[in-house]
Amino acid sequence: MSLISAENAMAVMAALFVIAGLGFVGEKTRVGAHLTGAVIAIVTAIAAANLNIIPHSSPAYDFVFSYFVPVLIPLFLFKADLKRLFFETTRTTMAFLLASVGTVAGVTLAALCLDLGSLASQAPLAMAEREAAVAGLFASTYIGGSVNYAALGEVTGLSQDASFFSAATAADNLFSAVYLGLLALLPGWRWLAQKYPAHDYSAGSVEVEHSEGISAMSLVLALAAAMVIVVVADAAVAYLGGSGWRYMVITALSLAVATLAPGLVKHMIGSFELGVGLSLVFFAAIAAGADVVAMVQVAPLLIALVLILLSVHFLVTFTVGRWLGLSMPELIIASNAAILGATTAPALAAAKGWNNLITPGILVGVFGYALGTFVGTIIFKFWVFIL
C-alpha cells in the first residue's frame, strides 16, 4: 500500500508534476546537467514508487498515456516549417538525413548481433514482434528524441512493460549525454577536423525565440490547436480503419499546420516548452511502474544495443559526410539533432560560435520529431521485410 492511494488521481497527478519539476530543477545543478532532466525524473519516480510513496499503477498514469502522448507531437512540431527546412537549411538537412540513415544502419546491425526479442517480455507482443518493436523504438528516438520515443512506446505497446521502458529510457538518455560530450570535443581534435572542408559559421545574425513572448493566450492556443489536431486525426483514422497509423496521421497534420499556416503558429509561442514539460510528466508516469530487479536484468543487453547503434551512427555520419563534402560543424549539429533533438543542437552551435548553424539546428531537430515517428513506425510494421 503506497502513501498516496492509486485511486486518489489528483494526488498522483500532483506527484507526477512535482517529480517533473524536480527534473527541471535538478538539471540546473552541475551533476544534473550531465544526467538531463528526463533521467532525474525517471530515477526519482522509480525511487518514489519502490519506497511506496506513489503507487505502481493508477488511473492517473493511464490518463497521461492516453492524452498527454498524442498531444506532445503537435506541440513539438509547430516549429517544423518544411519550406524553411528545405530551402534555408539544405546542407544541414542533407547532413541530418545522413545521420538518420546511420541510425537505421546501427539499429539493424544491433538486431543482427543481439537477441532483441528477449527484451520487453511483459509487453503484449510475440517475440518476433518485440524485436521489431525495440528496433523501431530506438530508431525513432535516435532520429529526433523523446517525443518519438513516447509515440513509438504507444504504437508498439512497449510502454506497457514499465520496467523495460524505464530502463531503455534511462540508457537512452545517459548514453545520449555521453555522446553529446564526444560531439563537443570533436572540433578540438585537429588531426580529425583538418580532414573536413573548412567553413566559417560565426558570421550572420542569430534568430532566437524569446521566452518573453510566452503568454497565457499563446499557451492556450497551442494546447487547443494540438488537441484539435489529435481529434481530427483520430476521426480520420477511425473513418479509414487504420488505428496503427494514428501517430503518423497526427504527425502529418501537425506538419501541414506548421508549413501552411505560419501566421497561426506565430501566436503559439511556448508550445515547444509546454511539450518538454509534459514529456517529463510522461516519463515519470512510465517510471513509476518499473520493477528495479527487472530493470537490472535487461540493462546489459540495452547497453550493448545503444553502444552498437551509436557507434554505427557516428561512423556513417562522419565517414560518408566527409565523402559528400559536408563540414564537421554541419555533421556535428546534424548528429546532435538526431540523437538528442532540437533542444541541444542549437545550444551546442551557440556554444561553439557557429551562429549560422543555430537556426538550422532547431529546424532539423524539429524535423526529426516528425521523421523519427515515421521511420520508427515503418520499421515496426515492416521489420520482416528489412531483415
Side-chain angles (χ1 to χ4, degrees):
M1 186 70 178
S2 59
L3 179 63
I4 298 176
S5 169
E7 300 305 317
N8 190 344
M10 180 61 75
V12 174
M13 193 67 77
L16 294 179
F17 274 87
V18 168
I19 290 170
L22 291 174
F24 284 114
V25 173
E27 199 173 37
K28 300 298 182 183
T29 65
R30 181 175 298 180
V31 175
H34 296 288
L35 294 175
T36 75
V39 171
I40 294 171
I42 289 166
V43 172
T44 304
I46 290 172
N50 284 276
L51 290 173
N52 290 323
I53 297 173
I54 60 175
H56 280 289
S57 62
S58 169
Y61 302 156
D62 297 333
F63 180 87
V64 172
F65 304 149
S66 299
Y67 298 103
F68 279 31
V69 176
V71 168
L72 283 175
I73 295 175
L75 290 176
F76 278 111
L77 289 181
F78 283 142
K79 288 185 177 181
D81 186 337
L82 295 181
K83 291 181 293 185
R84 293 189 62 194
L85 180 75
F86 291 112
F87 291 107
E88 296 181 21
T89 64
T90 306
R91 288 177 61 87
T92 312
T93 300
M94 183 166 63
F96 180 81
L97 292 174
L98 174 60
S100 301
V101 171
T103 292
V104 174
V107 80
T108 302
L109 179 62
L112 291 171
C113 297
L114 305 171
D115 182 15
L116 300 186
S118 64
L119 294 170
S121 59
Q122 299 305 309
L125 298 166
M127 182 172 290
E129 292 177 315
R130 292 204 299 271
E131 180 181 70
V134 173
L137 179 74
F138 276 89
S140 71
T141 192
Y142 287 141
I143 306 180
S146 59
V147 65
N148 300 330
Y149 188 87
L152 262 293
E154 294 300 307
V155 169
T156 60
L158 289 175
S159 60
Q160 295 185 43
D161 186 339
S163 299
F164 161 78
F165 207 67
S166 298
T169 306
D172 167 25
N173 281 271
L174 287 171
F175 280 93
S176 293
V178 173
Y179 186 77
L180 176 60
L182 171 64
L183 291 180
L185 291 174
L186 285 183
W189 297 353
R190 289 191 175 184
W191 62 272
L192 182 61
Q194 65 186 8
K195 297 180 184 295
Y196 293 82
H199 290 276
D200 181 11
Y201 295 100
S202 61
S205 58
V206 180
E207 181 181 333
V208 179
E209 182 183 273
H210 294 287
S211 59
E212 287 80 359
I214 298 176
S215 65
M217 182 188 77
S218 68
L219 293 177
V220 170
L221 286 176
L223 198 54
M227 289 179 173
V228 169
I229 286 173
V230 173
V231 169
V232 172
D234 285 345
V237 168
Y239 179 77
L240 297 173
S243 60
W245 301 95
R246 181 193 190 198
Y247 289 93
M248 295 277 285
V249 178
I250 293 174
T251 297
L253 290 178
S254 301
L255 287 174
V257 171
T259 304
L260 301 177
L264 172 63
V265 173
K266 286 182 180 179
H267 296 293
M268 296 188 289
I269 298 174
S271 60
F272 186 89
E273 290 78 4
L274 183 58
V276 172
L278 294 180
S279 68
L280 257 64
V281 175
F282 165 75
F283 285 132
I286 283 289
D291 181 332
V292 175
V293 175
M295 287 179 63
V296 172
Q297 289 175 343
V298 301
L301 189 55
L302 285 172
I303 291 172
L305 164 61
V306 173
L307 286 176
I308 293 173
L309 197 162
L310 288 179
S311 297
V312 174
H313 166 91
F314 181 86
L315 289 173
V316 170
T317 301
F318 287 90
T319 301
V320 179
R322 179 191 172 198
W323 294 343
L324 295 176
L326 296 169
S327 69
M328 177 175 279
E330 287 170 333
L331 294 170
I332 287 173
I333 296 305
S335 181
N336 187 337
I339 301 302
L340 293 111
T343 53
T344 59
L348 180 59
K352 294 295 182 182
W354 301 331
N355 293 341
N356 284 348
L357 291 177
I358 293 177
T359 298
I362 295 172
L363 290 175
V364 297
V366 173
F367 176 58
Y369 295 142
L371 183 62
T373 300
F374 175 80
V375 172
T377 302
I378 291 297
I379 288 176
F380 174 57
K381 296 289 186 179
F382 301 104
W383 182 246
V384 66
F385 300 109
I386 296 174
L387 286 184

